Amino acid sequence: MTENTGARYGGAPASRGRTTVADVVVEKIAGMAARDVRGVHALGSGFARSMGTMRERMPGAGSGKSATRGVSVEVGEKQAAIDLEIVVDYGVSITDVAGEVRENVISAVERMAGREVVEVNIVVSDVKLPDEEDEGEERQRIQ
């Protein structure tokens, strides 16, 4: 009995061709993975969130929050480096949240995109206080 290794047809099917993963794909995966961590209030600086809120209100500009806000990546053929800017909730341990974000992002990107994550740099740009309004919330004039 002979084993069919695919050599007759040019190798195993998984090795026939090339898969390219766009930077935006890794950005979205990393952004979603970071948002899943308890204690992360938002991604991006206050300015980026404000501009995103304005952009979301414009007709025809797309719907929902941008999954890539606060995320930048460099993606190679085998590796990826990720930079995140996050806002944490008041009262949580920033170092614990950053560690969980790093673990979650690395796990998600390596599993979904098949790229070794060589680093995840995190900048905590703000702390969301309990009595602060979100950037996108509008205060009612009449109560």
Side-chain angles (χ1 to χ4, degrees):
M1 184 170 169
T2 61
E3 182 178 309
N4 184 1
T5 61
R8 179 177 166 186
Y9 301 104
S15 67
R16 295 184 207 170
R18 198 168 118 160
T19 303
T20 303
V21 178
D23 290 6
V24 71
V25 173
V26 175
E27 286 176 350
K28 287 181 179 184
I29 293 169
M32 294 303 294
R35 282 182 181 84
D36 284 345
V37 174
R38 188 168 179 256
V40 173
H41 178 75
L43 268 66
S45 67
F47 179 75
R49 293 192 321 271
S50 295
M51 293 305 293
T53 299
M54 288 180 7
R55 191 171 36 254
E56 289 165 7
R57 291 181 183 167
M58 295 174 67
S63 61
K65 291 183 178 179
S66 171
T68 61
R69 185 180 309 143
V71 182
S72 63
V73 301
E74 291 180 40
V75 181
E77 286 188 34
K78 296 180 181 179
Q79 297 179 325
I82 301 165
D83 295 322
L84 299 169
E85 186 171 357
I86 66 173
V87 177
V88 298
D89 292 321
Y90 176 79
V92 300
S93 166
I94 293 173
T95 55
D96 289 348
V97 169
E100 288 180 44
V101 166
R102 195 169 278 113
E103 287 179 27
N104 211 32
V105 167
I106 290 170
S107 174
V109 170
E110 288 183 348
R111 180 175 47 85
M112 288 190 247
R115 299 298 184 268
E116 176 193 7
V117 178
V118 294
E119 65 182 11
V120 176
N121 300 310
I122 300 171
V123 173
V124 178
S125 62
D126 203 356
V127 173
K128 168 67 170 77
L129 300 175
D131 59 344
E132 282 182 330
E133 283 186 24
D134 280 337
E135 298 286 326
E137 291 180 6
E138 290 184 28
R139 203 177 258 178
Q140 289 185 347
R141 293 178 63 190
I142 302 173
Q143 293 186 7

